[in-house]
Amino acid sequence: MPSHLTNHVLLQASLWILASSSPAPTARRVFVAPHEAVITPSPVERDATRTYKNRRDILSDLDSDVDSILSNLGSDIPSYVASGVPNFFQNFPVGDDVVSSLGLQSSELAALPTNALNIDPYANWTSSGWNVRFHGNIYKQPNTSTEDLNKFANKFLIGVDITSLPESQQDQARNLTAEIMVVQQGDVAVDTIHLEPAPSQGSSGEPGGGGATEATGGTQDITLPYNTTTEGDFDVFVPIASNGLTAGNETQEVQRLNTYIDGTTLGNGTAYLVPPEGITIVSDIDDILRVTKIYEPKEGLLNSFARPFVPWENMPDIYANWSASLPNAHFHYLTTTPEQVTRNYMQFIYATYPGGSFDTRPLNFSDVTATLSIRKFLLQKVFETFPQRKFVLIADTSNSDVMRDYPEMAKDFPNQVQCIFLRNTTSTDSGDQFPYDTSGFQGLNQNMYMFFKDPNDLTNIDLASGSCYNTSIAQNLTFGYQGLPLGLGDTSAVNGSANKTGAASPLVSRDAAHLRGVCALAVALGCAFWMGL
Ligand SMILES: *[C@@H]1O[C@H](CO)[C@@H](O)[C@H](O)[C@H]1NC(C)=O
Ligand SMILES: *[C@@H]1O[C@H](CO)[C@@H](O)[C@H](O)[C@H]1NC(C)=O
Ligand SMILES: *[C@@H]1O[C@H](CO)[C@@H](O)[C@H](O)[C@H]1NC(C)=O
Ligand SMILES: *[C@@H]1O[C@H](CO)[C@@H](O)[C@H](O)[C@H]1NC(C)=O
Ligand SMILES: *[C@@H]1O[C@H](CO)[C@@H](O)[C@H](O)[C@H]1NC(C)=O
Ligand SMILES: *[C@@H]1O[C@H](CO)[C@@H](O)[C@H](O)[C@H]1NC(C)=O
Ligand SMILES: *[C@@H]1O[C@H](CO)[C@@H](O)[C@H](O)[C@H]1NC(C)=O
Ligand SMILES: *[C@@H]1O[C@H](CO)[C@@H](O)[C@H](O)[C@H]1NC(C)=O
Ligand SMILES: *[C@@H]1O[C@H](CO)[C@@H](O)[C@H](O)[C@H]1NC(C)=O
Ligand SMILES: *[C@@H]1O[C@H](CO)[C@@H](O)[C@H](O)[C@H]1NC(C)=O
Ligand SMILES: *[C@@H]1O[C@H](CO)[C@@H](O)[C@H](O)[C@H]1NC(C)=O
Ligand SMILES: *[C@@H]1O[C@H](CO)[C@@H](O)[C@H](O)[C@H]1NC(C)=O
């Protein structure tokens, strides 16, 4: 067994013993009230008087809790675990940190071109017309030397020196590092965003359709109503003029608009104008659409930083079929990967899967609790934006926030969740040693969800019928923690089928409080691995 894995297993077993006596951090949820179809308030204005706690202070609070537990173990815990939060995900430098790390002069900075990350938006149809959610970041990317990029890349990789990688992988790792070592531009205006009809899907190089047609109009220039946040982010719904666009209540089809932000490079994106009714497929990316192995941190890092992105088995065929057979479906890719690496994810998706709108983790969701709350925050936003659409939610079992949030969405928005599909990563990958909690699924109709092993298990499922369970796939739910060390929590699986009447196994119920403590802590540590990727 590779040493990082040994440590990983050992850590979990130790935590299981130790954490039963110590309260563990739990996720804080962020809820938003539904908005009217008007310009949303500026986060900058609303938070103008707020004193931001330095991220490092928040982290060091958590570090000291974790350190004190780990120091009792006296064992060979790798430093990225002992620090509570591995560098690659929490300590991405931003703004001034980058300026000082690279020793940049303000004149050098001023001379750099301004770049925009224009994350592909969705738009809903309201009484004021199409309402587009523009979101992204304004930043400058310094010209960093190869030596410096190697130095920083080595901080993000675990136990690997970049120079030991094949040349093409070194190149990619440096490119990604350069995307992280950028200087975000806070409190700047985002003007002008230019909109124009986008050619239909077929000719745009995104295979598999995506169910979008060329818009019938919509050419215009707009300026966002607020400046960027201190982190350089923008995220605001703006009603746009029709200028010949087809009304949302007169079409079932998704219309596409090209959008680009003037005066910036790289600021091109595609807006998806989505009618009020239809099916929206909300898909996670890591370990469901591509092979990441986020549960094996060292592999996960190499797969994210250095190696080319690889699709997971024949998932592209499954999506291509959905896109072709449900031409009005809307695809929305929602991942908690950090915003800085969004572009790599978009490039991979658009080359491999149907085109669609995108969400990644904005920069202000950076401490651990905010990291654990971002998925729900983004899910609520898209559900509230399309209250009459049906949603198909897809991910894998290695994300604790998915395991909590997906079934919660089915309970919070009972008329909107059509299907939940979860790849059981443990069933194909013994390297996945992290526990997952299936208790949220208790009480849900088996017809609406399925845990599955291979993409083929999704073949022939008719999303539109709402019958989402392939009866030939054994479900092994205990409605408690599964995948714990030593097989704890798995014992009540009933001959390969869920016990629909219900309760968790006696072991899990008796020790539920302890296990929750363990898992919350494991989550704090584990999610740091998982969610950074
Ligand atoms: C459009 O989206 C906004 C923002 O989420 C939401 O407040 C509004 O209710 C939606 N409008 C309709 C008609 O669904
Ligand atoms: C579509 O919505 C617009 C604006 O709300 C309204 O004026 C129009 O009558 C509606 N059209 C149909 C076919 O319902
Ligand atoms: C970036 O720096 C390298 C050497 O450090 C130099 O050769 C190159 O011209 C610079 N590029 C720009 C756009 O300044
Ligand atoms: C790295 O970035 C350069 C410049 O954008 C590009 O030409 C090159 O193909 C990239 N390499 C990899 C491996 O992504
Ligand atoms: C927004 O940023 C621009 C510079 O891009 C600045 O001139 C303007 O004063 C800012 N507006 C507000 C309301 O802070
Ligand atoms: C961005 O969009 C503009 C306007 O459509 C176009 O001229 C430019 O070529 C696009 N850039 C890229 C990189 O696609
Ligand atoms: C991050 O900013 C958004 C607005 O862009 C705001 O709604 C949200 O509450 C903020 N989240 C955190 C954790 O600060
Ligand atoms: C996932 O797969 C593992 C290994 O086959 C199995 O023990 C477990 O019960 C499965 N979990 C679910 C929820 O199907
Ligand atoms: C449930 O368990 C059976 C027997 O171990 C296994 O073959 C099957 O793949 C599991 N189902 C899932 C969804 O992992
Ligand atoms: C169910 O899963 C099996 C095994 O992966 C597959 O052959 C079959 O096509 C799937 N669909 C249905 C509706 O049975
Ligand atoms: C393709 O997707 C449609 C719609 O969900 C479904 O009815 C059909 O069975 C699928 N075909 C295959 C081969 O998976
Ligand atoms: C299923 O759960 C119910 C409720 O806890 C329990 O009474 C029953 O014995 C369980 N069935 C099996 C086969 O374990």
Side-chain angles (χ1 to χ4, degrees), residues 397 403 424-428 436 438 451-453 474-478 482-483 490 493:
T397 52
M403 297 303 289
N424 180 1
T425 35
T426 327
S427 73
T428 46
Y436 54 92
T438 53
F451 285 74
F452 69 101
K453 186 174 171 187
Q475 303 290 287
N476 307 299
L477 275 77
T478 60
Q482 298 187 234
D490 276 346

mmCIF file with all atom_site columns, all heavy atoms in Angstrom, residues 397 403 424-428 436 438 451-453 474-478 482-483 490 493, ligand 8:
data_model
loop_
_atom_site.group_PDB
_atom_site.id
_atom_site.type_symbol
_atom_site.label_atom_id
_atom_site.label_alt_id
_atom_site.label_comp_id
_atom_site.label_asym_id
_atom_site.label_entity_id
_atom_site.label_seq_id
_atom_site.pdbx_PDB_ins_code
_atom_site.Cartn_x
_atom_site.Cartn_y
_atom_site.Cartn_z
_atom_site.occupancy
_atom_site.B_iso_or_equiv
_atom_site.pdbx_formal_charge
_atom_site.auth_seq_id
_atom_site.auth_comp_id
_atom_site.auth_asym_id
_atom_site.auth_atom_id
_atom_site.pdbx_PDB_model_num
ATOM   1   N N   . THR A 1 397 ? -20.275 9.508  -4.679  1.00 0.00 ? 397 THR A N   1
ATOM   2   C CA  . THR A 1 397 ? -20.407 9.419  -3.218  1.00 0.00 ? 397 THR A CA  1
ATOM   3   C C   . THR A 1 397 ? -19.240 10.032 -2.451  1.00 0.00 ? 397 THR A C   1
ATOM   4   O O   . THR A 1 397 ? -19.306 10.144 -1.243  1.00 0.00 ? 397 THR A O   1
ATOM   5   C CB  . THR A 1 397 ? -20.520 7.941  -2.781  1.00 0.00 ? 397 THR A CB  1
ATOM   6   O OG1 . THR A 1 397 ? -19.431 7.212  -3.356  1.00 0.00 ? 397 THR A OG1 1
ATOM   7   C CG2 . THR A 1 397 ? -21.840 7.330  -3.215  1.00 0.00 ? 397 THR A CG2 1
ATOM   8   N N   . MET A 1 403 ? -23.694 14.340 -0.688  1.00 0.00 ? 403 MET A N   1
ATOM   9   C CA  . MET A 1 403 ? -24.488 13.331 0.011   1.00 0.00 ? 403 MET A CA  1
ATOM   10  C C   . MET A 1 403 ? -25.512 13.997 0.933   1.00 0.00 ? 403 MET A C   1
ATOM   11  O O   . MET A 1 403 ? -26.584 13.475 1.184   1.00 0.00 ? 403 MET A O   1
ATOM   12  C CB  . MET A 1 403 ? -23.574 12.403 0.809   1.00 0.00 ? 403 MET A CB  1
ATOM   13  C CG  . MET A 1 403 ? -22.617 11.594 -0.050  1.00 0.00 ? 403 MET A CG  1
ATOM   14  S SD  . MET A 1 403 ? -23.481 10.593 -1.277  1.00 0.00 ? 403 MET A SD  1
ATOM   15  C CE  . MET A 1 403 ? -24.226 9.367  -0.225  1.00 0.00 ? 403 MET A CE  1
ATOM   16  N N   . ASN A 1 424 ? -21.211 5.232  -7.086  1.00 0.00 ? 424 ASN A N   1
ATOM   17  C CA  . ASN A 1 424 ? -20.569 4.700  -5.888  1.00 0.00 ? 424 ASN A CA  1
ATOM   18  C C   . ASN A 1 424 ? -19.091 4.509  -6.216  1.00 0.00 ? 424 ASN A C   1
ATOM   19  O O   . ASN A 1 424 ? -18.693 3.510  -6.802  1.00 0.00 ? 424 ASN A O   1
ATOM   20  C CB  . ASN A 1 424 ? -21.227 3.368  -5.501  1.00 0.00 ? 424 ASN A CB  1
ATOM   21  C CG  . ASN A 1 424 ? -20.608 2.746  -4.265  1.00 0.00 ? 424 ASN A CG  1
ATOM   22  O OD1 . ASN A 1 424 ? -19.700 3.312  -3.665  1.00 0.00 ? 424 ASN A OD1 1
ATOM   23  N ND2 . ASN A 1 424 ? -21.111 1.576  -3.895  1.00 0.00 ? 424 ASN A ND2 1
ATOM   24  N N   . THR A 1 425 ? -18.272 5.478  -5.811  1.00 0.00 ? 425 THR A N   1
ATOM   25  C CA  . THR A 1 425 ? -16.848 5.405  -6.177  1.00 0.00 ? 425 THR A CA  1
ATOM   26  C C   . THR A 1 425 ? -16.156 4.233  -5.481  1.00 0.00 ? 425 THR A C   1
ATOM   27  O O   . THR A 1 425 ? -15.211 3.670  -6.012  1.00 0.00 ? 425 THR A O   1
ATOM   28  C CB  . THR A 1 425 ? -16.099 6.704  -5.830  1.00 0.00 ? 425 THR A CB  1
ATOM   29  O OG1 . THR A 1 425 ? -16.644 7.245  -4.640  1.00 0.00 ? 425 THR A OG1 1
ATOM   30  C CG2 . THR A 1 425 ? -16.231 7.716  -6.926  1.00 0.00 ? 425 THR A CG2 1
ATOM   31  N N   . THR A 1 426 ? -16.646 3.868  -4.287  1.00 0.00 ? 426 THR A N   1
ATOM   32  C CA  . THR A 1 426 ? -16.025 2.746  -3.572  1.00 0.00 ? 426 THR A CA  1
ATOM   33  C C   . THR A 1 426 ? -16.168 1.445  -4.352  1.00 0.00 ? 426 THR A C   1
ATOM   34  O O   . THR A 1 426 ? -15.322 0.566  -4.252  1.00 0.00 ? 426 THR A O   1
ATOM   35  C CB  . THR A 1 426 ? -16.700 2.522  -2.205  1.00 0.00 ? 426 THR A CB  1
ATOM   36  O OG1 . THR A 1 426 ? -17.124 3.766  -1.696  1.00 0.00 ? 426 THR A OG1 1
ATOM   37  C CG2 . THR A 1 426 ? -15.766 1.855  -1.233  1.00 0.00 ? 426 THR A CG2 1
ATOM   38  N N   . SER A 1 427 ? -17.262 1.310  -5.085  1.00 0.00 ? 427 SER A N   1
ATOM   39  C CA  . SER A 1 427 ? -17.529 0.013  -5.709  1.00 0.00 ? 427 SER A CA  1
ATOM   40  C C   . SER A 1 427 ? -16.572 -0.287 -6.846  1.00 0.00 ? 427 SER A C   1
ATOM   41  O O   . SER A 1 427 ? -16.370 -1.436 -7.203  1.00 0.00 ? 427 SER A O   1
ATOM   42  C CB  . SER A 1 427 ? -18.981 -0.079 -6.178  1.00 0.00 ? 427 SER A CB  1
ATOM   43  O OG  . SER A 1 427 ? -19.170 0.723  -7.307  1.00 0.00 ? 427 SER A OG  1
ATOM   44  N N   . THR A 1 428 ? -15.956 0.741  -7.422  1.00 0.00 ? 428 THR A N   1
ATOM   45  C CA  . THR A 1 428 ? -15.012 0.481  -8.501  1.00 0.00 ? 428 THR A CA  1
ATOM   46  C C   . THR A 1 428 ? -13.587 0.825  -8.094  1.00 0.00 ? 428 THR A C   1
ATOM   47  O O   . THR A 1 428 ? -12.656 0.560  -8.839  1.00 0.00 ? 428 THR A O   1
ATOM   48  C CB  . THR A 1 428 ? -15.338 1.333  -9.746  1.00 0.00 ? 428 THR A CB  1
ATOM   49  O OG1 . THR A 1 428 ? -15.591 2.662  -9.324  1.00 0.00 ? 428 THR A OG1 1
ATOM   50  C CG2 . THR A 1 428 ? -16.529 0.768  -10.492 1.00 0.00 ? 428 THR A CG2 1
ATOM   51  N N   . TYR A 1 436 ? -19.044 7.790  3.618   1.00 0.00 ? 436 TYR A N   1
ATOM   52  C CA  . TYR A 1 436 ? -20.094 8.661  3.080   1.00 0.00 ? 436 TYR A CA  1
ATOM   53  C C   . TYR A 1 436 ? -21.389 8.332  3.799   1.00 0.00 ? 436 TYR A C   1
ATOM   54  O O   . TYR A 1 436 ? -21.584 7.216  4.276   1.00 0.00 ? 436 TYR A O   1
ATOM   55  C CB  . TYR A 1 436 ? -20.214 8.486  1.560   1.00 0.00 ? 436 TYR A CB  1
ATOM   56  C CG  . TYR A 1 436 ? -20.412 7.052  1.121   1.00 0.00 ? 436 TYR A CG  1
ATOM   57  C CD1 . TYR A 1 436 ? -21.689 6.521  0.958   1.00 0.00 ? 436 TYR A CD1 1
ATOM   58  C CD2 . TYR A 1 436 ? -19.319 6.227  0.892   1.00 0.00 ? 436 TYR A CD2 1
ATOM   59  C CE1 . TYR A 1 436 ? -21.873 5.193  0.580   1.00 0.00 ? 436 TYR A CE1 1
ATOM   60  C CE2 . TYR A 1 436 ? -19.489 4.905  0.526   1.00 0.00 ? 436 TYR A CE2 1
ATOM   61  C CZ  . TYR A 1 436 ? -20.761 4.389  0.373   1.00 0.00 ? 436 TYR A CZ  1
ATOM   62  O OH  . TYR A 1 436 ? -20.935 3.084  0.015   1.00 0.00 ? 436 TYR A OH  1
ATOM   63  N N   . THR A 1 438 ? -25.402 7.977  3.859   1.00 0.00 ? 438 THR A N   1
ATOM   64  C CA  . THR A 1 438 ? -26.580 7.796  2.998   1.00 0.00 ? 438 THR A CA  1
ATOM   65  C C   . THR A 1 438 ? -27.880 8.104  3.745   1.00 0.00 ? 438 THR A C   1
ATOM   66  O O   . THR A 1 438 ? -28.969 7.859  3.219   1.00 0.00 ? 438 THR A O   1
ATOM   67  C CB  . THR A 1 438 ? -26.648 6.347  2.457   1.00 0.00 ? 438 THR A CB  1
ATOM   68  O OG1 . THR A 1 438 ? -26.579 5.417  3.549   1.00 0.00 ? 438 THR A OG1 1
ATOM   69  C CG2 . THR A 1 438 ? -25.502 6.061  1.508   1.00 0.00 ? 438 THR A CG2 1
ATOM   70  N N   . PHE A 1 451 ? -28.049 4.720  -6.813  1.00 0.00 ? 451 PHE A N   1
ATOM   71  C CA  . PHE A 1 451 ? -26.598 4.598  -6.662  1.00 0.00 ? 451 PHE A CA  1
ATOM   72  C C   . PHE A 1 451 ? -26.165 3.618  -7.746  1.00 0.00 ? 451 PHE A C   1
ATOM   73  O O   . PHE A 1 451 ? -26.817 2.587  -7.928  1.00 0.00 ? 451 PHE A O   1
ATOM   74  C CB  . PHE A 1 451 ? -26.242 4.055  -5.274  1.00 0.00 ? 451 PHE A CB  1
ATOM   75  C CG  . PHE A 1 451 ? -26.413 5.091  -4.200  1.00 0.00 ? 451 PHE A CG  1
ATOM   76  C CD1 . PHE A 1 451 ? -27.680 5.466  -3.778  1.00 0.00 ? 451 PHE A CD1 1
ATOM   77  C CD2 . PHE A 1 451 ? -25.310 5.710  -3.617  1.00 0.00 ? 451 PHE A CD2 1
ATOM   78  C CE1 . PHE A 1 451 ? -27.852 6.444  -2.792  1.00 0.00 ? 451 PHE A CE1 1
ATOM   79  C CE2 . PHE A 1 451 ? -25.469 6.688  -2.643  1.00 0.00 ? 451 PHE A CE2 1
ATOM   80  C CZ  . PHE A 1 451 ? -26.734 7.053  -2.229  1.00 0.00 ? 451 PHE A CZ  1
ATOM   81  N N   . PHE A 1 452 ? -25.107 3.944  -8.452  1.00 0.00 ? 452 PHE A N   1
ATOM   82  C CA  . PHE A 1 452 ? -24.702 3.070  -9.547  1.00 0.00 ? 452 PHE A CA  1
ATOM   83  C C   . PHE A 1 452 ? -23.197 2.910  -9.593  1.00 0.00 ? 452 PHE A C   1
ATOM   84  O O   . PHE A 1 452 ? -22.455 3.600  -8.888  1.00 0.00 ? 452 PHE A O   1
ATOM   85  C CB  . PHE A 1 452 ? -25.264 3.580  -10.876 1.00 0.00 ? 452 PHE A CB  1
ATOM   86  C CG  . PHE A 1 452 ? -24.629 4.873  -11.353 1.00 0.00 ? 452 PHE A CG  1
ATOM   87  C CD1 . PHE A 1 452 ? -23.649 4.858  -12.336 1.00 0.00 ? 452 PHE A CD1 1
ATOM   88  C CD2 . PHE A 1 452 ? -25.016 6.097  -10.826 1.00 0.00 ? 452 PHE A CD2 1
ATOM   89  C CE1 . PHE A 1 452 ? -23.048 6.044  -12.778 1.00 0.00 ? 452 PHE A CE1 1
ATOM   90  C CE2 . PHE A 1 452 ? -24.422 7.285  -11.261 1.00 0.00 ? 452 PHE A CE2 1
ATOM   91  C CZ  . PHE A 1 452 ? -23.450 7.252  -12.232 1.00 0.00 ? 452 PHE A CZ  1
ATOM   92  N N   . LYS A 1 453 ? -22.777 1.944  -10.415 1.00 0.00 ? 453 LYS A N   1
ATOM   93  C CA  . LYS A 1 453 ? -21.367 1.569  -10.439 1.00 0.00 ? 453 LYS A CA  1
ATOM   94  C C   . LYS A 1 453 ? -20.682 2.038  -11.729 1.00 0.00 ? 453 LYS A C   1
ATOM   95  O O   . LYS A 1 453 ? -19.621 2.634  -11.691 1.00 0.00 ? 453 LYS A O   1
ATOM   96  C CB  . LYS A 1 453 ? -21.290 0.038  -10.319 1.00 0.00 ? 453 LYS A CB  1
ATOM   97  C CG  . LYS A 1 453 ? -19.924 -0.530 -10.180 1.00 0.00 ? 453 LYS A CG  1
ATOM   98  C CD  . LYS A 1 453 ? -20.010 -2.032 -9.913  1.00 0.00 ? 453 LYS A CD  1
ATOM   99  C CE  . LYS A 1 453 ? -18.630 -2.665 -9.995  1.00 0.00 ? 453 LYS A CE  1
ATOM   100 N NZ  . LYS A 1 453 ? -18.722 -4.131 -9.895  1.00 0.00 ? 453 LYS A NZ  1
ATOM   101 N N   . ALA A 1 474 ? -28.353 -3.345 -7.781  1.00 0.00 ? 474 ALA A N   1
ATOM   102 C CA  . ALA A 1 474 ? -28.579 -3.535 -6.340  1.00 0.00 ? 474 ALA A CA  1
ATOM   103 C C   . ALA A 1 474 ? -28.234 -2.260 -5.583  1.00 0.00 ? 474 ALA A C   1
ATOM   104 O O   . ALA A 1 474 ? -27.179 -1.667 -5.804  1.00 0.00 ? 474 ALA A O   1
ATOM   105 C CB  . ALA A 1 474 ? -27.725 -4.685 -5.841  1.00 0.00 ? 474 ALA A CB  1
ATOM   106 N N   . GLN A 1 475 ? -29.128 -1.829 -4.729  1.00 0.00 ? 475 GLN A N   1
ATOM   107 C CA  . GLN A 1 475 ? -28.889 -0.667 -3.872  1.00 0.00 ? 475 GLN A CA  1
ATOM   108 C C   . GLN A 1 475 ? -28.522 -1.209 -2.494  1.00 0.00 ? 475 GLN A C   1
ATOM   109 O O   . GLN A 1 475 ? -29.168 -2.120 -1.991  1.00 0.00 ? 475 GLN A O   1
ATOM   110 C CB  . GLN A 1 475 ? -30.146 0.192  -3.786  1.00 0.00 ? 475 GLN A CB  1
ATOM   111 C CG  . GLN A 1 475 ? -30.660 0.650  -5.131  1.00 0.00 ? 475 GLN A CG  1
ATOM   112 C CD  . GLN A 1 475 ? -29.758 1.685  -5.778  1.00 0.00 ? 475 GLN A CD  1
ATOM   113 O OE1 . GLN A 1 475 ? -29.714 2.831  -5.364  1.00 0.00 ? 475 GLN A OE1 1
ATOM   114 N NE2 . GLN A 1 475 ? -29.012 1.267  -6.792  1.00 0.00 ? 475 GLN A NE2 1
ATOM   115 N N   . ASN A 1 476 ? -27.476 -0.663 -1.886  1.00 0.00 ? 476 ASN A N   1
ATOM   116 C CA  . ASN A 1 476 ? -26.995 -1.235 -0.627  1.00 0.00 ? 476 ASN A CA  1
ATOM   117 C C   . ASN A 1 476 ? -27.052 -0.188 0.473   1.00 0.00 ? 476 ASN A C   1
ATOM   118 O O   . ASN A 1 476 ? -26.106 -0.013 1.233   1.00 0.00 ? 476 ASN A O   1
ATOM   119 C CB  . ASN A 1 476 ? -25.563 -1.732 -0.799  1.00 0.00 ? 476 ASN A CB  1
ATOM   120 C CG  . ASN A 1 476 ? -25.418 -2.675 -1.980  1.00 0.00 ? 476 ASN A CG  1
ATOM   121 O OD1 . ASN A 1 476 ? -26.041 -3.728 -2.028  1.00 0.00 ? 476 ASN A OD1 1
ATOM   122 N ND2 . ASN A 1 476 ? -24.619 -2.273 -2.956  1.00 0.00 ? 476 ASN A ND2 1
ATOM   123 N N   . LEU A 1 477 ? -28.124 0.555  0.552   1.00 0.00 ? 477 LEU A N   1
ATOM   124 C CA  . LEU A 1 477 ? -28.138 1.673  1.488   1.00 0.00 ? 477 LEU A CA  1
ATOM   125 C C   . LEU A 1 477 ? -28.436 1.228  2.915   1.00 0.00 ? 477 LEU A C   1
ATOM   126 O O   . LEU A 1 477 ? -29.362 0.463  3.148   1.00 0.00 ? 477 LEU A O   1
ATOM   127 C CB  . LEU A 1 477 ? -29.183 2.716  1.065   1.00 0.00 ? 477 LEU A CB  1
ATOM   128 C CG  . LEU A 1 477 ? -28.663 3.702  0.028   1.00 0.00 ? 477 LEU A CG  1
ATOM   129 C CD1 . LEU A 1 477 ? -28.629 3.063  -1.335  1.00 0.00 ? 477 LEU A CD1 1
ATOM   130 C CD2 . LEU A 1 477 ? -29.508 4.948  0.009   1.00 0.00 ? 477 LEU A CD2 1
ATOM   131 N N   . THR A 1 478 ? -27.639 1.774  3.845   1.00 0.00 ? 478 THR A N   1
ATOM   132 C CA  . THR A 1 478 ? -27.899 1.519  5.265   1.00 0.00 ? 478 THR A CA  1
ATOM   133 C C   . THR A 1 478 ? -28.556 2.742  5.915   1.00 0.00 ? 478 THR A C   1
ATOM   134 O O   . THR A 1 478 ? -28.892 2.724  7.076   1.00 0.00 ? 478 THR A O   1
ATOM   135 C CB  . THR A 1 478 ? -26.598 1.236  6.014   1.00 0.00 ? 478 THR A CB  1
ATOM   136 O OG1 . THR A 1 478 ? -25.747 2.383  5.878   1.00 0.00 ? 478 THR A OG1 1
ATOM   137 C CG2 . THR A 1 478 ? -25.887 0.016  5.452   1.00 0.00 ? 478 THR A CG2 1
ATOM   138 N N   . GLN A 1 482 ? -21.491 4.874  5.584   1.00 0.00 ? 482 GLN A N   1
ATOM   139 C CA  . GLN A 1 482 ? -20.986 3.670  4.935   1.00 0.00 ? 482 GLN A CA  1
ATOM   140 C C   . GLN A 1 482 ? -19.550 3.927  4.524   1.00 0.00 ? 482 GLN A C   1
ATOM   141 O O   . GLN A 1 482 ? -19.116 5.082  4.442   1.00 0.00 ? 482 GLN A O   1
ATOM   142 C CB  . GLN A 1 482 ? -21.837 3.332  3.706   1.00 0.00 ? 482 GLN A CB  1
ATOM   143 C CG  . GLN A 1 482 ? -23.274 3.039  4.084   1.00 0.00 ? 482 GLN A CG  1
ATOM   144 C CD  . GLN A 1 482 ? -24.127 2.531  2.935   1.00 0.00 ? 482 GLN A CD  1
ATOM   145 O OE1 . GLN A 1 482 ? -25.173 3.085  2.638   1.00 0.00 ? 482 GLN A OE1 1
ATOM   146 N NE2 . GLN A 1 482 ? -23.695 1.460  2.286   1.00 0.00 ? 482 GLN A NE2 1
ATOM   147 N N   . GLY A 1 483 ? -18.839 2.829  4.305   1.00 0.00 ? 483 GLY A N   1
ATOM   148 C CA  . GLY A 1 483 ? -17.443 2.975  3.897   1.00 0.00 ? 483 GLY A CA  1
ATOM   149 C C   . GLY A 1 483 ? -16.546 3.385  5.038   1.00 0.00 ? 483 GLY A C   1
ATOM   150 O O   . GLY A 1 483 ? -15.463 3.925  4.832   1.00 0.00 ? 483 GLY A O   1
ATOM   151 N N   . ASP A 1 490 ? -21.606 -0.699 7.278   1.00 0.00 ? 490 ASP A N   1
ATOM   152 C CA  . ASP A 1 490 ? -22.060 -1.421 6.091   1.00 0.00 ? 490 ASP A CA  1
ATOM   153 C C   . ASP A 1 490 ? -22.851 -2.678 6.461   1.00 0.00 ? 490 ASP A C   1
ATOM   154 O O   . ASP A 1 490 ? -23.433 -3.321 5.622   1.00 0.00 ? 490 ASP A O   1
ATOM   155 C CB  . ASP A 1 490 ? -20.856 -1.883 5.245   1.00 0.00 ? 490 ASP A CB  1
ATOM   156 C CG  . ASP A 1 490 ? -20.391 -0.776 4.326   1.00 0.00 ? 490 ASP A CG  1
ATOM   157 O OD1 . ASP A 1 490 ? -21.140 0.205  4.159   1.00 0.00 ? 490 ASP A OD1 1
ATOM   158 O OD2 . ASP A 1 490 ? -19.279 -0.881 3.791   1.00 0.00 ? 490 ASP A OD2 1
ATOM   159 N N   . ALA A 1 493 ? -26.629 -3.724 5.336   1.00 0.00 ? 493 ALA A N   1
ATOM   160 C CA  . ALA A 1 493 ? -27.077 -3.851 3.947   1.00 0.00 ? 493 ALA A CA  1
ATOM   161 C C   . ALA A 1 493 ? -27.838 -5.165 3.823   1.00 0.00 ? 493 ALA A C   1
ATOM   162 O O   . ALA A 1 493 ? -27.368 -6.211 4.253   1.00 0.00 ? 493 ALA A O   1
ATOM   163 C CB  . ALA A 1 493 ? -25.891 -3.843 3.007   1.00 0.00 ? 493 ALA A CB  1
HETATM 164 C C1  . LIG B 2 .   ? -20.705 0.843  -2.685  1.00 0.00 ? 8   LIG B C1  1
HETATM 165 O O1  . LIG B 2 .   ? -19.824 -0.185 -3.055  1.00 0.00 ? 8   LIG B O1  1
HETATM 166 C C2  . LIG B 2 .   ? -19.271 -0.898 -1.971  1.00 0.00 ? 8   LIG B C2  1
HETATM 167 C C3  . LIG B 2 .   ? -18.297 -1.888 -2.540  1.00 0.00 ? 8   LIG B C3  1
HETATM 168 O O2  . LIG B 2 .   ? -18.921 -2.690 -3.516  1.00 0.00 ? 8   LIG B O2  1
HETATM 169 C C4  . LIG B 2 .   ? -20.390 -1.552 -1.198  1.00 0.00 ? 8   LIG B C4  1
HETATM 170 O O3  . LIG B 2 .   ? -19.853 -2.187 -0.058  1.00 0.00 ? 8   LIG B O3  1
HETATM 171 C C5  . LIG B 2 .   ? -21.377 -0.492 -0.739  1.00 0.00 ? 8   LIG B C5  1
HETATM 172 O O4  . LIG B 2 .   ? -22.482 -1.085 -0.083  1.00 0.00 ? 8   LIG B O4  1
HETATM 173 C C6  . LIG B 2 .   ? -21.879 0.292  -1.919  1.00 0.00 ? 8   LIG B C6  1
HETATM 174 N N1  . LIG B 2 .   ? -22.688 1.393  -1.434  1.00 0.00 ? 8   LIG B N1  1
HETATM 175 C C7  . LIG B 2 .   ? -23.887 1.672  -1.927  1.00 0.00 ? 8   LIG B C7  1
HETATM 176 C C8  . LIG B 2 .   ? -24.598 2.818  -1.322  1.00 0.00 ? 8   LIG B C8  1
HETATM 177 O O5  . LIG B 2 .   ? -24.353 1.039  -2.848  1.00 0.00 ? 8   LIG B O5  1
#
